[in-house]
Each structure stands twice: as structure tokens, then as C-alpha cells.
């Protein structure tokens, strides 16, 4: 999809002859250069996982967080220019805080993501400013609306999702997320070779399964997906940042506790070895 | 408000009340508006709709409460369209509080906000003069309310049915109207629930009688 927009790409206030705003597309490329972040919604909460590439051994562990707390019940995972993301997290925090101050209750996530998306969109209208170079995933859990997941991209669009991925390995991550449920049903039938028929049945089961997982189960799967999509060759070491919000945390968004994270990472590493082994067998 | 204006202001000093029941709320008010000793309106409607399933009962200065109710109606309507869902009673109550508290020195308004929403069912919130906000299962307000605290305390029980609430409210309001000079006229009632708002008027000769005289 890459093309040169010579002449029409100098400012966000210019359309190209084929109707594109190149500055916004370039902003989305900035997101694609960053490492992956995923968010998945399950029966009783939302889990975020971020592949945080460690650029220097001198970095303190846990610094340069890519997951933010926007409100007690809302978390935000980002990909792209981190400085832009930080400034947007402040915007989101103010929106959530003002809403509570004016209306007396927690901001619904749909409304929050629309407000922040509107803010992001405003920066795509003028030549005096540049669009934000980051996408982010917002997730929340509350008693009445249940788990909610929304994603906002540099063009200022916001969509609700069951599972989504942003960053360099987003395609691979999306495939893994979709596979999450289908695999559970497909594996037995693959051995029988009846793939096509079961694919059709599985697609119906697909969303059913994700909705039945609990946060504890999902955390392990999220860790596994991040490990799968991480490119060992191009990028060296990475730190896995995991956070969740749901029944398990009483509706509070927080980084996953150390023991849960270690268990998830162990599961991820073990599954990767297993898959390597099974590939050898087929050969 | 300062003393010199008190004589010229129109008051709905009134008796108002609201009761929660399982599935909705029942609200009621008298119908008297006074300017000094003159009854300016003997058939006032003090039960004002703020949204489809949210009402407020107004007491205090007629002008102040009408102005605040108009502002809140606008704010709540806007908020509801933005969110694309029916507003919460709690939100309406908070909007009343915000106005009543910010301008507490200039206003004289005692408001009871009551309604139904799908999150928490029937709710009653009271916002007295000064701008406090608190949710209560039963609330009474206005100058006539002082005469019926005892009646409420002894006759209200939790988990009453809608009809029991209607009888409680009309009975209490009749008692207050009997004793308070600033309350009188007819009893206006409204029952708000998921299915809608059901309004009634009980005329003077149909009011429950508490004395044989």
C-alpha cells in the first residue's frame, strides 16, 4: 500500500488527487514501526499485552511503560511514538475525570474513546500541527456494561473490538487471536482431515469461546501470542508488559501481579517449544 | 436571598415528596404558589419532567427552581444524545447539585429528583437548599414537610407496592396541606417506572380525610 505522495504530502490540510491524506497515512506508518500491543476481551474482563523492545541493557526494568491507567476502571495500551501516546493518555485522563465531576459516575468507555478519537481527529485537519503518531487500545470493566475494548488510530477513528492488535506484528497477532478459539476445536478434526467442514462450524464457535474464557486463562494466551509474534532475528530482547481489568481485580485496571506474569510467561515459553517440537515431527 | 426581595418573590414553599418502590418511584406535590399571603396559583404543577423517566419536585422560589430545571433539562438532554442512551437518575441529580451548590448564595431551591433508569431501577435523590446531594428511599421537602416527618417515620416500610406508595404519598400530602398554610389545593401524583409515567390529580373533595369535622 505504499506510494509516494510527492507534493500532496506536505501537510495534513491537503488531499491527494486520489482522495488520500498522506500525513495521516504516514502517521499510521509510525505506528507500524513500533513493537506490538494487543488487547483481548473475555467473559469477565480485558487483558492487554505489550511487546516492549529493550533497546539498551542500561534501562531499568519496568521503565518506559506502554500501558497507562486512564481511570480506576480504564486502561490504555499504546503503540507508536511514545511521547505522543503519553500526551494522549493525559487527555484521556482529563476527559474521564471531567465526566465524573460533571455527571457523578464513571465514564462509559464508548464515550471516552469517542471523545479522545475526536481530539486525535482534530489534529488531522490543520497544516499548523501534525497528526498524532500513535494508536492505542482502551479497555475497561464495570458491573453494568461488562468488559469493553476500543481502539483509536491516528486518523481519529474509534472501533469496539473483541480482540485487536496494533504495531509491527499486528497481522500475525490478529491471526493468532482469531486462532485462539478455532484451534481448540480444529485440532481434533485436523487429524481426521475434515478441515473445511469444521472451519465453518468453528467460525460460529469462535466468538462463543472467547466470551467464555476468564481473565486468568486469557492472560496466559495473551503472553503466548506476544511470544509468538516477537521476531527473534530482527529484534533482540523484549520485556513483556501485561495488564488486566475485570472481575478478578474488582474492576480496577492494574499491571498483572508478578506471580501471574511469571506463570503466563512460562506457559508462553513452554508452548513455543512444544510447537517447535511438533513441527519437527511433521518433517 | 436577601430579605428585601422576599416579599415580592413568588414561592412554592409547598409540600413535596418522593418514595422508591421495587420497579419505580412515586412522587407527589401540593399545588399552591404564594406571593406573601396571596395564592398566585392554586393549581400549580410542581412535578416537572426533566427527561422521559426522570422528574423533579420543586420547592422554594418558583423562579429559581424553574430556571434550574430548564438548565438541567438542557444539559441532560445533550448528555443523553451524546451517550446515545437514556440518562441515569444519578446524573440528573448531580446536575441539579452542581447548579444548586455553585449558586447557593443567590438561590433558594429545595429539589427532589426522582425517576427510573435501567441500571438501578427507581431512585430518589434529595437536593435541599445549600446544594447537598443524597439518595434516600423516601424524601419529603418544602415548608409542609415538617408536619409529616412523624407520619413518614411511622408509616413507611421498605419494599412497599406501587399502590401502597400512592396511598402513603396522598395521605401524607393531605395531612401537610391541612396544617401548613403555604400548602394546599390539589394533590398531584406521578408514578414512574420502566413502562412510563402515570400522572394523577386528587381534587380537594376527594382527598383522604383525617378529621371528622
Amino acid at each position: 500500500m505504499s506510494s509516494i505522495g510527492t507534493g500532496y504530502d506536505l501537510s495534513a490540510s491537503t488531499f491527494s488527487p486520489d482522495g488520500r491524506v498522506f500525513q495521516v497515512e504516514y502517521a499510521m506508518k509510525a505506528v507500524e514501526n513500533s513493537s506490538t500491543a494487543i488487547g483481548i476481551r473475555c467473559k469477565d474482563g480485558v487483558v492487554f499485552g505489550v511487546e516492549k523492545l529493550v533497546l539498551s541493557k542500561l534501562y531499568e526494568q519496568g521503565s518506559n511503560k506502554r500501558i497507562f491507567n486512564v481511570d480506576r476502571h480504564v486502561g490504555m495500551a499504546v503503540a507508536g511514538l511514545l511521547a505522543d501516546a503519553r500526551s494522549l493518555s493525559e487527555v484521556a485522563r482529563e476527559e474521564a475525570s471531567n465526566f465524573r465531576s460533571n455527571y457523578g459516575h464513571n465514564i462509559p468507555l464508548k464515550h471516552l474513546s469517542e471523545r479522545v478519537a475526536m481530539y486525535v481527529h482534530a489534529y488531522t485537519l490543520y497544516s499548523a500541527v501534525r497528526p498524532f503518531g500513535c494508536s492505542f487500545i482502551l479497555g475497561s470493566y464495570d458491573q453494568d456494561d461488562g468488559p469493553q475494548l476500543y481502539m483509536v488510530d491516528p486518523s481519529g477513528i474509534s472501533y469496539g473490538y473483541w480482540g485487536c492488535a496494533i504495531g509491527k506484528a499486528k497481522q500475525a497477532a490478529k491471526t493468532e487471536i482469531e486462532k485462539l478459539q478455532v484451534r481448540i476445536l480444529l485440532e481434533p478434526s485436523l487429524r481426521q482431515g475434515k478441515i473445511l467442514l469444521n472451519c465453518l462450524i468453528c467460525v460460529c464457535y469462535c466468538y462463543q469461546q472467547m466470551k467464555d474464557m476468564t481473565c486468568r486463562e486469557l492472560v496466559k494466551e495473551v503472553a503466548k501470542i506476544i511470544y509468538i509474534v516477537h521476531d527473534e532475528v530482527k529484534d533482540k530482547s523484549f520485556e513483556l508488559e501485561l495488564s488486566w481489568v475485570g472481575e478478578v481485580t474488582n474492576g480496577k485496571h492494574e499491571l498483572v501481579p508478578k506471580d501471574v506474569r511469571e506463570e503466563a510467561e512460562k506457559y508462553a515459553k513452554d508452548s513455543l517449544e512444544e510447537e517447535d517440537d511438533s513441527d519437527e515431527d511433521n518433517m | 436571598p436577601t430579605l428585601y426581595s422576599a416579599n415580592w418573590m413568588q414561592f412554592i414553599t409547598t409540600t413535596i415528596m418522593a418514595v422508591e418502590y421495587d420497579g419505580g418511584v412515586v412522587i407527589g406535590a401540593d399545588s399552591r404558589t404564594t406571593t406573601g399571603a396571596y395564592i398566585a396559583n392554586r393549581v400549580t404543577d410542581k412535578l416537572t419532567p426533566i427527561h422521559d423517566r426522570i422528574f423533579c419536585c420543586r420547592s422554594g422560589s418558583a423562579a429559581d427552581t424553574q430556571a434550574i430545571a430548564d438548565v438541567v433539562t438542557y444539559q441532560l438532554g445533550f448528555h443523553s444524545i451524546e451517550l446515545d442512551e437514556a440518562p441515569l437518575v444519578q446524573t440528573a441529580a448531580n446536575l441539579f447539585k452542581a447548579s444548586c451548590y455553585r449558586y447557593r448564595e443567590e438561590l433558594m431551591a429545595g429539589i427532589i429528583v426522582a425517576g427510573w433508569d435501567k441500571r438501578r431501577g427507581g431512585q430518589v435523590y434529595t437536593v435541599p437548599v445549600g446544594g447537598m446531594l443524597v439518595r434516600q428511599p423516601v424524601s419529603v421537602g418544602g415548608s409542609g414537610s415538617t408536619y409529616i416527618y412523624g407520619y413518614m417515620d411511622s408509616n413507611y416500610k421498605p419494599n412497599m407496592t406501587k399502590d401502597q406508595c400512592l396511598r402513603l404519598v396522598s395521605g401524607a400530602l393531605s395531612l401537610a396541606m391541612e396544617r401548613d398554610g403555604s400548602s394546599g389545593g390539589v394533590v398531584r401524583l406521578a408514578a414512574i417506572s420502566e413502562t412510563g409515567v402515570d400522572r394523577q390529580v386528587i381534587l380537594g373533595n376527594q382527598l383522604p380525610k383525617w378529621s371528622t369535622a
Side-chain angles (χ1 to χ4, degrees), chain A residues 61-119:
Chain A
Q61 209 203 31
S63 65
N64 279 337
K65 283 208 183 23
R66 302 251 312 258
I67 300 181
F68 302 96
N69 248 320
V70 165
D71 199 351
R72 185 184 179 273
H73 66 303
V74 179
M76 175 168 153
V78 307
L81 300 177
L82 199 44
D84 287 8
R86 282 206 188 112
S87 137
L88 281 172
S89 77
E90 274 303 309
V91 168
R93 284 168 182 158
E94 274 175 42
E95 281 291 338
S97 169
N98 285 339
F99 185 96
R100 182 182 281 111
S101 171
N102 289 333
Y103 301 114
H105 64 91
N106 289 347
I107 188 166
L109 194 67
K110 178 164 182 278
H111 189 236
L112 174 63
S113 76
E114 279 168 4
R115 295 283 298 182
V116 186
M118 215 190 304
Y119 188 90

Side-chain angles (χ1 to χ4, degrees), chain B residues 1 9 58 60-69 106-109 111:
Chain B
M9 276 163 77
R58 300 180 292 118
S61 151
D64 288 353
T65 55
Q66 279 181 7
I68 298 170
E106 287 102 270
L107 293 171
M108 190 157 100
I111 294 174

Side-chain angles (χ1 to χ4, degrees), chain B residues 29-46:
Chain B
D30 72 304
S31 68
R32 184 172 289 181
T33 311
T34 52
T35 324
Y38 174 65
I39 300 174
N41 185 354
R42 60 187 175 98
V43 286
T44 326
D45 183 7
K46 305 178 189 179

Side-chain angles (χ1 to χ4, degrees), chain A residues 10 15 35 52 58 82 157-158 164 202 206 236 253 255:
Chain A
L10 295 175
F15 274 107
S35 62
K52 199 166 63 171
L58 297 174
L82 199 44
I157 278 185
S158 102
C164 77
C202 286
C206 194
K236 302 295 160 59
H253 174 259
L255 288 179

